[in-house]
Amino acid sequence: MIETTLTGKTPDIGEENIKKLMTIFPEVVTEGKVDFEKLKQVLGEYVDDSNERYNFTWNGKGRALRLSQTPSLGTLRPCKEESKNWDTTQNLYIEGDNLEVLKLLQKSYYGKIKMIYIDPPYNTGKDFVYKDDFYDSIENYKRITGQIDGNGKPISTNTETSGRYHTDWLNMMYPRLRLARNLLSENGLIVINIDEHEVTNLHKLCTEVFGESNDLGTIIWDKRNPKGDAKGVSYQHEYILLFAKNKEQFFESCTMVRPKKNAKAMLRKAEQIFNKVGKTLTLDEANAEFQAWISSQKELSGGEAAYKYIDTNGEVYRTVSMAWPNNKKAPEDYFIPLIHPITRKPCPVPAKGWRYPSATMRELLAKNLIIFGKDETKQPERKYLLRDNMYENIPSLLYYGGSDTDMLFALGIPFDTPKVVNIVKEHIQSFTEPTDVILDFFSGSATTAHAVMQLNAEDGGNRRFIMVQLPEPTDEKSEAYKAGYKNICEIGKERIRRAGEKIKEEYKDKENIENLDIGFKVFKLDTSNIRKWQPDYDNLEQSLMDYVDNFVEGRTEFDVVYEIMLKYGLDLTYPVDEFTIAGKKVYSIGYGMLMICLDNEITTEVAKGILTKIKELSPESSRVVFKDNGFKSDSNKTNIKEILKSGGIEEFITI
Ligand SMILES: C[S@@+](CC[C@H](N)C(=O)[O-])C[C@H]1O[C@@H](n2cnc3c(N)ncnc32)[C@H](O)[C@@H]1O
């Protein structure tokens, strides 16, 4: 059995990196420090330290990097009152500065997020860029959000004349992206919306953080409406950058395709027309009617509209040339002519040969996947059935000029810059499996949560969401403020509540809709609950006296339970059950994976009772937590340790 004392810090990423380095180059680390000169020697010719090397840097980059490595001393406090379906939901809504929150999530969600979707401030000069404070980030956060001094600091915008325009934005994004990357699963990806102000910097930044080889491409989103205030070219598009954590692993589980939006409607229409064949229409007339309908459908993409034929079985298909695609001629075997099935004469062979060898051509013929003309004069083509090709590659151009303003208005949610639910939903659909976790740490009005719930309702999935948002005060003159929303988190949470109910109502006849998770657990960033993790160095004696009571005034046991879960890396949605054992309150997390007793006067009876409970719950392994000063006596503590050790407990933890 391991014995540990819980510290209030999140993992020290720097220390962990040194451990990783040690496994490859043990000779360069002595007494926990890296001998840089030796490392350079070990790396030999692969070191490039010339001043003119290819490099992307800005003022404050080093400090921003260090900021991402310093552990957080904060915690996330559960807030049941503002949550929905606390006991059953698997979703999280976290209020706080995302830098601190990302640090706090490092243990519980390391490698567990399949998709991060973010829409950060674009740095337009009007949007809010949070100024990180290196020395006391949580105090700074509380001041900015008005939790200290009541009012909150005036919102800081980042104007082009500030002299640190791009620098401030880069310093804000860099540590966050570094931390975000750790949370992605090896087959995960990040999707980031941005406009022309920072797209070049963001692309360089992502190349550095995620690696050039993991760039999945950039989508240009044509918003169909040029900006009116242009001083140069009038932009009417934005960008969506996609980076994998590890491209190879990403492609093992994902094909980068999306469902053809109109394919089902096309199949339905074709069936309707084909049913008339032999009664009121010939097959040629049916094809003409179908093609007229296709031409009238403005919504169809080029790829969809190409499926404009109906065959004798009623299948919808398109044709594609089977000519050899390269300049060089194909080998001999690619020149065998196909015989027309009616005239029995050879059809023309493409000048550079067929695209496939003769064996493949025979296979395609047998499967009826080659289409001939009326006679042998037409070169045969390959036939693709729509039924077998319901998905298409994600193209680099996205045309969408609409907005969700009306939908949000109908929901009573006033928010100026929401993203479009359908666009976010389509990306989630393309890149996630039905049980994946999706994180948005600039969540604003919670469009991503809305999209996750909508998609789950449509396809019966159980995707989970984690929203993170700063409780940025709303402007007193804004519609949101007048409607009673004092900060953006209030808007986000209310939107999830209203959108969830609306979706459930819309899909009320769908099987299993009662299981759709429209709840969320709310957590709020705060200083640690445990006093000894934040001693007052100016008054250390008093501070030490205060340890008699371990917890900060006003904090509950429930707060502490969640802080322990977070720092031991347990999912915050694991069930927390309460039992009374030998007269003391004991919390069981994840059905006995972690047992916590924060009571006083703990005796061996409690330890024995906990063991019995663990046997009943039979988790794979178990850890037990007590307050360091909660034991009735030192000998009790010693005996309790012995009892738990012989009961097979993995770890004995004190706080
Ligand atoms: C462009 S908006 C996102 C809008 C969102 N995609 C939607 O559809 O509603 C960016 C959001 O990031 C939030 N934000 C800015 N800095 C933050 C920080 N340090 N931590 C958490 N949220 C932050 C802003 O308050 C703003 O709501």
Side-chain angles (χ1 to χ4, degrees), residues 292-315:
W293 178 80
I294 296 262
S295 318
S296 70
Q297 300 301 301
K298 300 288 168 254
E299 287 289 291
L300 303 189
S301 67
E304 288 171 332
Y307 285 87
K308 57 182 180 185
Y309 305 107
I310 306 178
D311 74 6
T312 46
N313 298 321
E315 291 284 6

mmCIF file of all heavy atoms in Angstrom, residues 292-315:
data_model
loop_
_atom_site.group_PDB
_atom_site.id
_atom_site.type_symbol
_atom_site.label_atom_id
_atom_site.label_comp_id
_atom_site.label_asym_id
_atom_site.label_seq_id
_atom_site.Cartn_x
_atom_site.Cartn_y
_atom_site.Cartn_z
ATOM 1 N N ALA A 292 -34.605 16.982 -64.066
ATOM 2 C CA ALA A 292 -35.217 18.321 -63.947
ATOM 3 C C ALA A 292 -35.315 18.695 -62.465
ATOM 4 O O ALA A 292 -35.043 19.830 -62.069
ATOM 5 C CB ALA A 292 -36.601 18.307 -64.592
ATOM 6 N N TRP A 293 -35.685 17.704 -61.645
ATOM 7 C CA TRP A 293 -35.787 17.971 -60.192
ATOM 8 C C TRP A 293 -34.409 18.335 -59.632
ATOM 9 O O TRP A 293 -34.267 19.294 -58.876
ATOM 10 C CB TRP A 293 -36.367 16.738 -59.495
ATOM 11 C CG TRP A 293 -36.474 16.900 -58.007
ATOM 12 C CD1 TRP A 293 -37.463 17.565 -57.326
ATOM 13 C CD2 TRP A 293 -35.551 16.421 -57.010
ATOM 14 N NE1 TRP A 293 -37.220 17.528 -55.976
ATOM 15 C CE2 TRP A 293 -36.039 16.827 -55.742
ATOM 16 C CE3 TRP A 293 -34.362 15.686 -57.049
ATOM 17 C CZ2 TRP A 293 -35.399 16.528 -54.557
ATOM 18 C CZ3 TRP A 293 -33.718 15.390 -55.860
ATOM 19 C CH2 TRP A 293 -34.233 15.805 -54.628
ATOM 20 N N ILE A 294 -33.366 17.563 -60.025
ATOM 21 C CA ILE A 294 -31.995 17.828 -59.542
ATOM 22 C C ILE A 294 -31.606 19.273 -59.889
ATOM 23 O O ILE A 294 -31.096 20.013 -59.044
ATOM 24 C CB ILE A 294 -30.984 16.850 -60.196
ATOM 25 C CG1 ILE A 294 -31.270 15.417 -59.778
ATOM 26 C CG2 ILE A 294 -29.538 17.265 -59.953
ATOM 27 C CD1 ILE A 294 -30.456 14.851 -58.671
ATOM 28 N N SER A 295 -31.873 19.682 -61.133
ATOM 29 C CA SER A 295 -31.467 21.039 -61.542
ATOM 30 C C SER A 295 -32.210 22.107 -60.744
ATOM 31 O O SER A 295 -31.687 23.199 -60.532
ATOM 32 C CB SER A 295 -31.759 21.318 -63.012
ATOM 33 O OG SER A 295 -31.426 20.227 -63.769
ATOM 34 N N SER A 296 -33.406 21.790 -60.266
ATOM 35 C CA SER A 296 -34.166 22.810 -59.521
ATOM 36 C C SER A 296 -33.729 22.895 -58.049
ATOM 37 O O SER A 296 -34.140 23.785 -57.334
ATOM 38 C CB SER A 296 -35.657 22.490 -59.588
ATOM 39 O OG SER A 296 -35.907 21.319 -58.813
ATOM 40 N N GLN A 297 -32.892 21.961 -57.588
ATOM 41 C CA GLN A 297 -32.499 21.923 -56.170
ATOM 42 C C GLN A 297 -31.211 22.710 -55.959
ATOM 43 O O GLN A 297 -30.117 22.195 -56.195
ATOM 44 C CB GLN A 297 -32.309 20.469 -55.694
ATOM 45 C CG GLN A 297 -33.527 19.598 -55.814
ATOM 46 C CD GLN A 297 -34.707 20.134 -55.022
ATOM 47 O OE1 GLN A 297 -34.633 20.301 -53.809
ATOM 48 N NE2 GLN A 297 -35.791 20.437 -55.709
ATOM 49 N N LYS A 298 -31.330 23.939 -55.484
ATOM 50 C CA LYS A 298 -30.147 24.799 -55.337
ATOM 51 C C LYS A 298 -29.242 24.357 -54.181
ATOM 52 O O LYS A 298 -28.074 24.706 -54.117
ATOM 53 C CB LYS A 298 -30.584 26.262 -55.123
ATOM 54 C CG LYS A 298 -31.398 26.817 -56.288
ATOM 55 C CD LYS A 298 -30.516 27.063 -57.527
ATOM 56 C CE LYS A 298 -31.317 27.325 -58.769
ATOM 57 N NZ LYS A 298 -31.352 26.219 -59.744
ATOM 58 N N GLU A 299 -29.811 23.607 -53.257
ATOM 59 C CA GLU A 299 -29.061 23.183 -52.072
ATOM 60 C C GLU A 299 -27.995 22.125 -52.363
ATOM 61 O O GLU A 299 -27.058 21.940 -51.590
ATOM 62 C CB GLU A 299 -30.024 22.544 -51.058
ATOM 63 C CG GLU A 299 -30.915 23.501 -50.348
ATOM 64 C CD GLU A 299 -30.123 24.339 -49.363
ATOM 65 O OE1 GLU A 299 -29.664 23.766 -48.376
ATOM 66 O OE2 GLU A 299 -29.946 25.552 -49.624
ATOM 67 N N LEU A 300 -28.165 21.394 -53.497
ATOM 68 C CA LEU A 300 -27.273 20.254 -53.747
ATOM 69 C C LEU A 300 -25.840 20.694 -54.018
ATOM 70 O O LEU A 300 -25.608 21.667 -54.732
ATOM 71 C CB LEU A 300 -27.770 19.445 -54.958
ATOM 72 C CG LEU A 300 -29.189 18.887 -54.906
ATOM 73 C CD1 LEU A 300 -29.429 17.934 -56.075
ATOM 74 C CD2 LEU A 300 -29.444 18.161 -53.609
ATOM 75 N N SER A 301 -24.882 19.960 -53.448
ATOM 76 C CA SER A 301 -23.472 20.253 -53.755
ATOM 77 C C SER A 301 -23.174 19.649 -55.129
ATOM 78 O O SER A 301 -23.955 18.816 -55.626
ATOM 79 C CB SER A 301 -22.569 19.606 -52.704
ATOM 80 O OG SER A 301 -22.640 18.210 -52.819
ATOM 81 N N GLY A 302 -22.037 20.054 -55.726
ATOM 82 C CA GLY A 302 -21.667 19.522 -57.034
ATOM 83 C C GLY A 302 -21.574 18.004 -56.998
ATOM 84 O O GLY A 302 -22.049 17.304 -57.897
ATOM 85 N N GLY A 303 -21.006 17.481 -55.911
ATOM 86 C CA GLY A 303 -20.847 16.035 -55.750
ATOM 87 C C GLY A 303 -22.191 15.336 -55.708
ATOM 88 O O GLY A 303 -22.339 14.213 -56.203
ATOM 89 N N GLU A 304 -23.174 15.978 -55.098
ATOM 90 C CA GLU A 304 -24.508 15.355 -54.991
ATOM 91 C C GLU A 304 -25.233 15.411 -56.342
ATOM 92 O O GLU A 304 -25.814 14.413 -56.797
ATOM 93 C CB GLU A 304 -25.337 16.080 -53.930
ATOM 94 C CG GLU A 304 -24.872 15.799 -52.519
ATOM 95 C CD GLU A 304 -25.549 16.678 -51.471
ATOM 96 O OE1 GLU A 304 -25.955 17.827 -51.803
ATOM 97 O OE2 GLU A 304 -25.660 16.233 -50.332
ATOM 98 N N ALA A 305 -25.175 16.600 -56.977
ATOM 99 C CA ALA A 305 -25.936 16.789 -58.219
ATOM 100 C C ALA A 305 -25.461 15.851 -59.332
ATOM 101 O O ALA A 305 -26.206 15.583 -60.283
ATOM 102 C CB ALA A 305 -25.834 18.243 -58.674
ATOM 103 N N ALA A 306 -24.226 15.331 -59.219
ATOM 104 C CA ALA A 306 -23.718 14.424 -60.246
ATOM 105 C C ALA A 306 -24.476 13.088 -60.244
ATOM 106 O O ALA A 306 -24.501 12.378 -61.248
ATOM 107 C CB ALA A 306 -22.234 14.172 -60.012
ATOM 108 N N TYR A 307 -25.117 12.744 -59.123
ATOM 109 C CA TYR A 307 -25.914 11.500 -59.073
ATOM 110 C C TYR A 307 -27.288 11.787 -59.691
ATOM 111 O O TYR A 307 -28.260 12.011 -58.984
ATOM 112 C CB TYR A 307 -26.054 11.018 -57.626
ATOM 113 C CG TYR A 307 -24.787 10.399 -57.100
ATOM 114 C CD1 TYR A 307 -23.797 11.188 -56.518
ATOM 115 C CD2 TYR A 307 -24.555 9.039 -57.224
ATOM 116 C CE1 TYR A 307 -22.611 10.633 -56.062
ATOM 117 C CE2 TYR A 307 -23.377 8.468 -56.766
ATOM 118 C CZ TYR A 307 -22.409 9.273 -56.193
ATOM 119 O OH TYR A 307 -21.244 8.712 -55.751
ATOM 120 N N LYS A 308 -27.354 11.792 -61.029
ATOM 121 C CA LYS A 308 -28.585 12.256 -61.654
ATOM 122 C C LYS A 308 -29.267 11.175 -62.499
ATOM 123 O O LYS A 308 -30.192 11.462 -63.229
ATOM 124 C CB LYS A 308 -28.299 13.493 -62.512
ATOM 125 C CG LYS A 308 -27.251 13.296 -63.571
ATOM 126 C CD LYS A 308 -27.030 14.609 -64.300
ATOM 127 C CE LYS A 308 -25.963 14.393 -65.358
ATOM 128 N NZ LYS A 308 -25.590 15.585 -66.041
ATOM 129 N N TYR A 309 -28.780 9.930 -62.434
ATOM 130 C CA TYR A 309 -29.383 8.860 -63.243
ATOM 131 C C TYR A 309 -30.069 7.822 -62.368
ATOM 132 O O TYR A 309 -29.627 7.565 -61.240
ATOM 133 C CB TYR A 309 -28.306 8.144 -64.067
ATOM 134 C CG TYR A 309 -27.490 9.069 -64.924
ATOM 135 C CD1 TYR A 309 -26.176 9.362 -64.596
ATOM 136 C CD2 TYR A 309 -28.040 9.644 -66.071
ATOM 137 C CE1 TYR A 309 -25.416 10.217 -65.375
ATOM 138 C CE2 TYR A 309 -27.288 10.501 -66.860
ATOM 139 C CZ TYR A 309 -25.973 10.786 -66.508
ATOM 140 O OH TYR A 309 -25.232 11.631 -67.279
ATOM 141 N N ILE A 310 -31.129 7.230 -62.939
ATOM 142 C CA ILE A 310 -31.789 6.093 -62.264
ATOM 143 C C ILE A 310 -31.625 4.880 -63.174
ATOM 144 O O ILE A 310 -31.867 4.986 -64.387
ATOM 145 C CB ILE A 310 -33.299 6.366 -62.053
ATOM 146 C CG1 ILE A 310 -33.506 7.698 -61.310
ATOM 147 C CG2 ILE A 310 -33.961 5.222 -61.307
ATOM 148 C CD1 ILE A 310 -34.970 8.082 -61.097
ATOM 149 N N ASP A 311 -31.191 3.735 -62.624
ATOM 150 C CA ASP A 311 -31.007 2.562 -63.494
ATOM 151 C C ASP A 311 -32.246 1.661 -63.480
ATOM 152 O O ASP A 311 -33.248 1.984 -62.822
ATOM 153 C CB ASP A 311 -29.707 1.810 -63.129
ATOM 154 C CG ASP A 311 -29.814 1.025 -61.840
ATOM 155 O OD1 ASP A 311 -30.921 0.957 -61.263
ATOM 156 O OD2 ASP A 311 -28.786 0.470 -61.401
ATOM 157 N N THR A 312 -32.149 0.526 -64.160
ATOM 158 C CA THR A 312 -33.333 -0.342 -64.317
ATOM 159 C C THR A 312 -33.811 -0.914 -62.981
ATOM 160 O O THR A 312 -34.934 -1.384 -62.868
ATOM 161 C CB THR A 312 -33.013 -1.507 -65.267
ATOM 162 O OG1 THR A 312 -31.751 -2.042 -64.863
ATOM 163 C CG2 THR A 312 -32.940 -1.046 -66.712
ATOM 164 N N ASN A 313 -32.927 -0.903 -61.953
ATOM 165 C CA ASN A 313 -33.353 -1.402 -60.631
ATOM 166 C C ASN A 313 -33.844 -0.272 -59.732
ATOM 167 O O ASN A 313 -34.118 -0.491 -58.558
ATOM 168 C CB ASN A 313 -32.178 -2.092 -59.920
ATOM 169 C CG ASN A 313 -31.703 -3.283 -60.703
ATOM 170 O OD1 ASN A 313 -32.522 -4.012 -61.262
ATOM 171 N ND2 ASN A 313 -30.388 -3.449 -60.766
ATOM 172 N N GLY A 314 -33.876 0.932 -60.264
ATOM 173 C CA GLY A 314 -34.311 2.074 -59.445
ATOM 174 C C GLY A 314 -33.159 2.689 -58.645
ATOM 175 O O GLY A 314 -33.379 3.556 -57.808
ATOM 176 N N GLU A 315 -31.928 2.213 -58.856
ATOM 177 C CA GLU A 315 -30.768 2.760 -58.126
ATOM 178 C C GLU A 315 -30.356 4.107 -58.721
ATOM 179 O O GLU A 315 -30.320 4.259 -59.945
ATOM 180 C CB GLU A 315 -29.566 1.812 -58.247
ATOM 181 C CG GLU A 315 -29.716 0.512 -57.522
ATOM 182 C CD GLU A 315 -29.527 0.639 -56.015
ATOM 183 O OE1 GLU A 315 -29.386 1.772 -55.510
ATOM 184 O OE2 GLU A 315 -29.547 -0.404 -55.352
#
